Amino acid sequence: MMKTLNAPLVVSHDYAMRGDDGMTKGYWQSSLFGGGHPGGSGLSTEAGSYTAETTPPTANHHNMKAIILSDPGKPSTFLVKDIPIPEPLPGHVVIEIKAFGINHAEMHMRKGEWAEIAEVSGIECVGITHSCPGGEFAVGTKVAALMGGMGRTIPGSYAEYTRVPVSNVASIESNLSWAELAAIPESYATAWTTVFQNLELTSGQTLLVRGGTSSFGLAAINLAVNCGAKVIATTRNLDRSQMLLDLGVLRVELEGLELSERLPEKKTIDAVLNLVGNSVLLDSLAIVRRGGRVCLAGFLGGLAPIPDFNPLLQMPSGVHFSFFGSFHFGTPGFPLSDVPLQSIAKDVEGGRYKAKPSREFKFEEVAVAHKLMEENRAGGKLVVTVGQN
């Protein structure tokens, strides 16, 4: 039996490099992935830190490479495996994946901490339409896809192909690289929805973004600043303040459980986007003015519930509170078509939004990207490219 440790490592078939204790020290990228070298990401793994399994390659042209969870629903490692390319299905789009973003939800899925977990993780991607029986997207169309059950109830984007409901796919023409495009779908679709629909932010208002250096937070700041709002952002590490100031925030605050006690603008702020989670929800409600809005849309601080929450005693009067989960995209109430992904991509391409990924990884380096995120060293959006881009 293979022991599951605290972080995964993808090993390319028989090219694992083993230490004297038999534990994986690093990996050599198989020719099936186009060649490579140990530690190609610039991050190395130390002996004793990881274990992994391998799957023999096949020559079946109807198969694809996928990175699967070793034990979905429980703490897992990542395994490279050959599985069939998805068949065409009415109401769905089969996408040849070119790149995908890494998200915190996928880290919790790997740990077995999510309610629904598919064998193939990944909740977003960009790529090319491979098949679409209904004709909604022509074969060869450049598209972005997010949610629709990906990584939760259907195989996700950690693969060379995926099949997604039509309602969760959008065409997105751009001269951006695949890696740059992959930094947009989940982060910007969710940020746009929370900032402009949940919080109804307008020019001149003041927004507090809790969790500003996350990829979601950076997207929200870009959108808010460019609509003319005044933005204050928080971070757990003030060494990262400059990246927030460069985006146009007025001030950076150290994130903490009692932030409301330190803010001079308490009770005057128009809106709070809470990406930290339940641990600071009550504190966030105490910050906004009467008629102000708080949106809970992240869980950077963990998934634990609020103990003994009593709205009658703890909710301030006259404050609006809402939640948004991106898993609602594609449902009748939250059509993906509401989100102007095409114009956002155009604005990124034109330099209006600073949305380039903080790091790019190769397909076989997914585990290294997860390790970076788990250590809070992402510094923005991590993306993975698939194949030769």
Side-chain angles (χ1 to χ4, degrees), residues 282 285 308-318:
L282 295 177
L285 291 168
D308 303 319
F309 179 49
N310 187 337
L312 289 175
L313 298 178
Q314 294 171 293
M315 284 281 294
S317 295

Side-chain angles (χ1 to χ4, degrees), residues 136-344:
E136 293 90 348
F137 298 92
V139 172
T141 301
K142 187 179 291 187
V143 294
L146 61 149
M147 306 311 292
M150 278 199 294
R152 297 169 60 241
T153 58
I154 62 174
S157 58
Y158 287 15
E160 294 177 319
Y161 294 82
T162 192
R163 186 175 65 199
V164 188
V166 166
S167 58
N168 291 83
V169 181
S171 61
I172 184 166
E173 288 300 325
S174 174
N175 291 321
L176 294 170
S177 70
W178 287 114
E180 290 169 331
L181 270 182
I184 294 173
E186 169 70 11
S187 295
Y188 273 83
T190 311
W192 185 90
T193 302
T194 55
V195 169
F196 297 123
Q197 294 192 330
N198 286 64
L199 295 175
E200 299 184 0
L201 191 72
T202 59
S203 178
Q205 290 189 322
T206 300
L207 169 69
L208 171 67
V209 178
R210 303 191 74 158
T213 53
S214 65
S215 58
F216 186 171
L218 294 172
I221 291 167
N222 265 313
L223 293 169
V225 168
N226 278 277
C227 88
K230 295 172 284 187
V231 182
I232 301 169
T234 74
T235 176
R236 290 173 289 185
N237 182 356
L238 290 178
D239 290 340
R240 299 176 179 174
S241 297
Q242 192 58 51
M243 68 184 296
L244 298 172
L245 294 170
D246 289 344
L247 291 181
V249 304
L250 298 178
R251 192 172 77 252
V252 179
E253 293 280 353
L254 182 66
E255 180 56 62
L257 296 178
E258 298 179 349
L259 177 63
S260 63
E261 300 302 318
R262 295 185 274 115
L263 279 180
E265 298 93 344
K266 181 179 179 180
K267 296 297 185 182
T268 66
I269 286 178
D270 299 289
V272 174
L273 180 58
N274 175 9
L275 306 182
V276 176
N278 291 334
S279 60
V280 299
L281 175 57
L282 295 177
D283 189 64
S284 296
L285 291 168
I287 287 173
V288 293
R289 62 172 174 81
R290 178 182 175 182
R293 296 175 179 271
V294 174
C295 178
L296 173 63
F299 41 87
L300 297 172
L303 299 172
I306 302 172
D308 303 319
F309 179 49
N310 187 337
L312 289 175
L313 298 178
Q314 294 171 293
M315 284 281 294
S317 295
V319 169
H320 302 277
F321 168 60
S322 66
F323 164 78
F324 183 75
S326 59
F327 51 83
H328 288 294
F329 280 130
T331 63
F334 296 93
L336 187 58
S337 58
D338 277 359
V339 182
L341 283 175
Q342 181 62 68
S343 64
I344 290 171

